[in-house]
C-alpha cells in the first residue's frame, strides 16, 4: 500500500490533492510521500526484528536531502557509491558509523574523505582497490574497516543492465577466489576485515536467487572463520523488487525476505546489513505530468506529455513499465483506448509506453506515473535544455518544494564562454 489514492475522484498524495501542487509548482514534477517512505523503511526493520541489523538505504535510488532526512531521523544507515553521496548523507545528518561505501571505482580521494569524516565500512570490490585503501589508511594512521564483495555467480533473473551477481559482471571478486583474497586482506596493514558483502542485482521478483547467494555467503563465513578471519558482519545488499505493473506483479514481501535472511544466516551470530533502495523509495513517489496534445497518427493516437525521457529515463533505458493513471478518477465503466504515450524530446526513444490502454484524455489533463520515486529524479538530465523538474515532499496535508525547478538563466549561466570567443 502507498499513500497515492483517489479521494472524491481526485488523486491525492497523502492528504494533498495533486492539482493543488500542480497549480503551485507547474508540471511536470515529482512528489514523494513521507508516510510511504517511513512505512517502507519500517517494513525492513520489522522483517529483521530479532537480528542485530542496520538497514542502509541505497541512496542512489533517491538522494534528495529531504528524503534522506526522513530516513536518517528514523535511524537508517546509508549505502553510498560516490564521494558526492557520502557528503550528501553527512549533510542530511547521517553519522559516519551508519554509512557503508560501495562501488567498483572508489578513488583515493573518496577513500581519504570517508576515512577522515568517519565511515562504517568500505565494501571492497577488487585487489587493486584493496591495496590502495591499505595505503590511504596507513597514510592517515588509521585502520579502514572492510568487507569484501563476493560475486556468487548467481542469476538474479532481472534486466541484464541491473544484474550484478553473474561472473561476467564487473562486480565483486569471484567467490571461488575468496579465500586467497581474504588472506591478502588479512595480511595488509591499515585494513580491518570485518565481514562479507554481496549484492546480486536490482528489481528481483523472486527469493530464490537471494537464497542461493546467501547460502553461499553463509558457507563462506564458516570457512573463513575456520581460517582465522573474524567475520562478524554480513552486508547482504539490496535488490528486492517492487510491483510496477500492479495488475499482474506480486514480488516477495519484505517479511518473506527477512525470514529468508534469518533462515540463511540467522545462526551465524553476525550483524546483518541490507541495502534496499527501490523498495523504500520507488512506490513512495510519482511523477505528475500534463497532456500537451493528443495527436492522431496513422493507425494510432499519441498522448504527448510535458514529461520526457530526460525526466524519467527508465522506460527508454530499460524498457521499464510504469503505470500511468489519470489524476481525475475515470468514471466507472469508461471505455479505454490504446495510446502511444510520449514526451516532447526529439527522438523516437522518448516513448513511455506503446499502445497503452487508457481512458480518453484531453490536452491539459494531468496524469501520474506510479513507482517513480526510485531511479527517477536522480537519473534525470537537462537534455534538450529541459530544466530538471521540481521535487515535492508531502506530509499529511502539507507539502513543500524540496528541489526547485531551475530557471533558464541558471541553467545557461553554468556554461562558461572563453574570453577569446
Ligand atoms: N547495493 C548496491 C551495491 C547496488 O548496486 C544497488 C543498486 C543497491 C544496493 C540497491 O538496489 P535496489 O534495492 O534499489 O534494487 N537504475 C536502475 C537500478 C540500478 C540499481 C543499481 N544498484 C533502475 O532504474 O532500475
Amino acid at each position: 500500500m502507498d499513500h497515492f489514492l483517489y479521494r472524491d475522484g481526485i488523486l491525492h498524495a497523502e492528504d494533498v490533492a495533486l492539482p493543488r501542487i500542480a497549480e503551485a509548482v507547474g508540471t511536470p514534477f515529482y512528489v514523494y510521500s513521507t508516510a510511504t517512505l517511513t512505512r517502507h523503511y519500517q517494513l525492513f526493520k520489522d522483517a529483521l526484528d530479532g537480528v542485530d541489523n542496520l538497514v542502509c538505504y541505497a541512496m542512489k535510488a533517491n538522494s534528495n536531502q529531504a528524503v534522506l532526512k526522513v530516513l536518517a531521523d528514523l535511524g537508517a544507515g546509508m549505502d553510498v557509491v560516490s564521494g558526492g553521496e557520502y557528503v550528501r548523507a553527512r549533510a542530511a545528518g547521517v553519522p559516519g558509523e551508519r554509512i557503508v561505501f560501495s562501488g567498483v571505482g572508489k578513488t583515493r580521494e573518496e577513500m581519504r574523505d570517508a576515512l577522515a569524516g568517519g565511515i562504517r565500512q568500505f565494501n571492497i570490490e577488487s585487489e587493486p582497490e584493496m591495496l590502495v585503501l591499505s595505503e590511504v589508511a596507513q597514510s592517515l594512521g588509521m585502520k579502514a574497516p572492510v568487507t569484501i564483495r563476493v560475486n556468487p555467480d548467481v542469476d538474479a533473473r532481472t534486466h541484464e543492465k541491473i544484474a550484478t551477481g553473474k561472473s561476467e559482471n564487473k562486480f565483486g571478486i569471484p567467490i571461488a577466489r575468496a579465500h586467497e583474497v581474504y588472506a591478502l586482506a588479512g595480511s595488509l596493514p591499515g585494513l580491518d576485515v570485518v565481514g562479507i558483502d554481496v549484492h546480486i542485482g536490482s528489481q528481483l521478483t523472486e527469493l530464490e536467487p537471494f537464497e542461493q547467494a546467501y547460502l553461499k555467503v553463509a558457507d563462506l563465513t564458516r570457512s573463513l572463520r575456520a581460517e582465522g578471519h573474524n567475520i562478524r558482519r554480513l552486508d547482504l545488499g539490496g535488490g528486492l523488487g517492487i510491483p510496477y505493473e500492479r495488475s499482474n506483479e506480486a514480488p516477495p514481501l519484505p517479511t518473506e525476505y527477512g525470514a529468508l535472511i534469518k533462515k540463511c544466516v540467522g545462526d551465524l551470530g553476525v550483524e546483518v546489513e541490507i541495502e534496499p533502495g527501490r523498495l523504500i523509495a520507488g512506490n513512495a513517489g510519482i511523477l505528475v505530468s500534463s497532456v500537451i496534445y493528443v495527436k492522431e497518427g496513422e493507425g494510432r493516437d499519441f498522448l504527448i506529455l510535458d514529461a520526457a525521457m530526460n525526466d524519467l529515463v527508465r522506460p527508454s533505458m530499460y524498457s521499464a513499465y510504469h503505470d500511468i493513471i489519470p489524476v481525475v478518477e475515470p468514471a466507472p465503466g469508461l471505455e479505454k483506448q490504446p495510446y502511444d504515450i510520449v514526451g516532447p524530446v526529439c527522438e523516437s526513444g522518448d516513448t513511455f509506453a506503446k499502445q497503452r490502454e487508457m481512458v480518453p484524455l484531453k490536452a491539459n489533463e494531468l496524469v501520474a506515473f506510479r513507482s517513480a520515486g526510485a531511479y527517477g529524479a536522480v537519473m534525470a538530465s537537462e537534455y534538450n535544455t529541459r530544466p530538471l523538474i521540481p521535487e515535492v515532499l508531502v506530509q499529511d496535508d502539507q507539502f513543500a518544494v524540496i528541489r526547485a525547478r531551475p530557471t533558464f538563466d541558471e541553467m545557461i549561466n553554468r556554461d562558461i564562454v572563453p574570453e577569446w570567443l
Side-chain angles (χ1 to χ4, degrees):
M1 191 211 123
D2 61 34
H3 291 78
F4 301 103
L5 300 171
Y6 290 110
R7 285 197 201 164
D8 301 326
I10 303 288
L11 193 62
H12 280 60
E14 301 193 16
D15 300 332
V16 184
L18 292 173
R20 237 181 93 200
I21 306 179
E23 219 164 90
V25 307
T27 57
F29 61 90
Y30 280 102
V31 55
Y32 312 127
S33 152
T34 307
T36 312
L37 287 167
T38 304
R39 178 170 177 273
H40 288 168
Y41 168 75
Q42 205 54 51
L43 286 176
F44 281 113
K45 286 306 282 182
D46 293 349
L48 291 176
D49 193 33
V51 179
D52 191 7
N53 73 82
L54 185 68
V55 175
C56 296
Y57 168 61
M59 60 180 274
K60 62 167 78 67
N62 185 324
S63 53
N64 187 290
Q65 285 291 290
V67 169
L68 299 186
K69 180 99 184 10
V70 169
L71 296 168
D73 287 354
L74 295 169
M78 297 283 156
D79 169 42
V80 308
V81 291
S82 71
E85 283 196 350
Y86 177 82
V87 173
R88 269 187 183 275
R90 294 306 308 269
V94 185
E97 65 265 25
R98 295 210 310 250
I99 301 177
V100 301
F101 203 141
S102 301
V104 293
K106 301 174 204 79
T107 64
R108 276 171 198 272
E109 198 181 15
E110 288 173 327
M111 292 172 179
R112 210 178 295 121
D113 290 349
L115 274 171
I119 189 84
R120 178 180 181 82
Q121 88 211 17
F122 293 92
N123 294 332
I124 293 292
E125 300 234 11
S126 66
E127 284 142 302
E129 183 193 2
M130 185 185 294
L131 295 169
V132 168
L133 182 60
S134 163
E135 268 176 44
V136 172
Q138 280 182 86
S139 73
L140 293 172
M142 298 177 77
K143 263 195 180 284
V146 298
T147 71
I148 295 171
R149 177 167 175 181
V150 292
N151 185 328
D153 196 20
V154 164
D155 184 354
R157 295 188 222 136
T158 183
H159 191 284
E160 58 162 335
K161 286 190 184 159
I162 53 176
T164 55
K166 286 289 286 172
S167 53
E168 69 256 29
N169 302 130
K170 68 182 174 184
F171 299 96
I173 56 135
I175 198 159
R177 292 195 51 237
H179 291 275
E180 195 187 320
V181 179
Y182 270 87
L184 172 66
S187 73
L188 288 175
L191 301 185
D192 177 19
V193 181
V194 299
I196 307 173
D197 172 41
V198 71
H199 170 80
I200 56 173
S202 191
Q203 185 53 17
L204 271 72
T205 52
E206 302 160 280
L207 285 182
E208 209 200 341
F210 286 119
E211 181 168 17
Q212 284 178 34
Y214 296 169
L215 288 175
K216 287 188 182 191
V217 167
D219 279 348
L220 182 62
T221 304
R222 293 187 192 94
S223 56
L224 286 174
R225 280 177 172 170
E227 287 164 12
H229 297 284
N230 181 9
I231 303 297
R232 48 202 187 272
R233 201 180 275 175
L234 297 182
D235 182 337
L236 299 177
L240 189 59
I242 63 172
Y244 279 99
E245 196 167 352
R246 293 187 183 210
S247 46
N248 67 9
E249 273 181 326
L253 302 171
T255 40
E256 297 167 303
Y257 175 69
L260 175 77
I261 289 177
K262 289 178 191 170
K263 186 183 100 180
C264 296
V265 307
D267 61 339
L268 294 171
V270 286
E271 190 179 357
V272 169
E273 297 161 346
I274 53 170
E275 301 171 348
R278 191 189 309 266
L279 200 141
I280 291 180
N283 281 325
I286 60 177
L287 185 162
V288 178
S289 175
S290 181
V291 177
I292 306 180
Y293 298 115
V294 183
K295 173 174 167 176
E296 278 181 33
E298 272 205 33
R300 60 183 65 214
D301 288 349
F302 293 95
L303 269 189
I304 304 178
L305 304 183
D306 63 358
M309 63 189 288
N310 70 299
D311 304 309
L312 177 68
V313 77
R314 304 192 68 258
S316 326
M317 195 158 176
Y318 314 113
S319 308
Y321 178 100
H322 282 264
D323 270 346
I324 304 171
I325 58 171
V327 166
V328 175
E329 190 174 19
L334 196 60
E335 209 165 307
K336 295 186 174 176
Q337 65 172 89
Y339 285 109
D340 280 13
I341 305 177
V342 302
V345 161
C346 298
E347 51 183 286
S348 300
D350 185 21
T351 297
F352 291 119
K354 284 204 161 133
Q355 296 298 287
R356 180 74 63 87
E357 291 289 331
M358 301 278 288
V359 294
L361 284 163
K362 295 193 295 291
N364 300 318
E365 288 189 311
L366 298 175
V367 294
F369 289 72
R370 285 191 178 276
S371 315
Y375 307 112
V378 284
M379 293 180 75
S381 77
E382 289 180 345
Y383 186 39
N384 280 205
T385 305
R386 292 169 47 85
L388 291 181
I389 65 178
E391 293 174 86
V392 172
L393 184 70
V394 168
Q395 181 170 24
D396 303 323
D397 61 354
Q398 52 182 341
F399 71 91
V401 174
I402 57 172
R403 190 177 65 197
R405 191 192 311 274
T407 63
F408 290 133
D409 276 349
E410 282 165 347
M411 291 165 70
I412 295 165
N413 289 338
R414 288 203 302 262
D415 298 353
I416 301 167
V417 179
E419 61 187 23
W420 68 78
L421 279 180

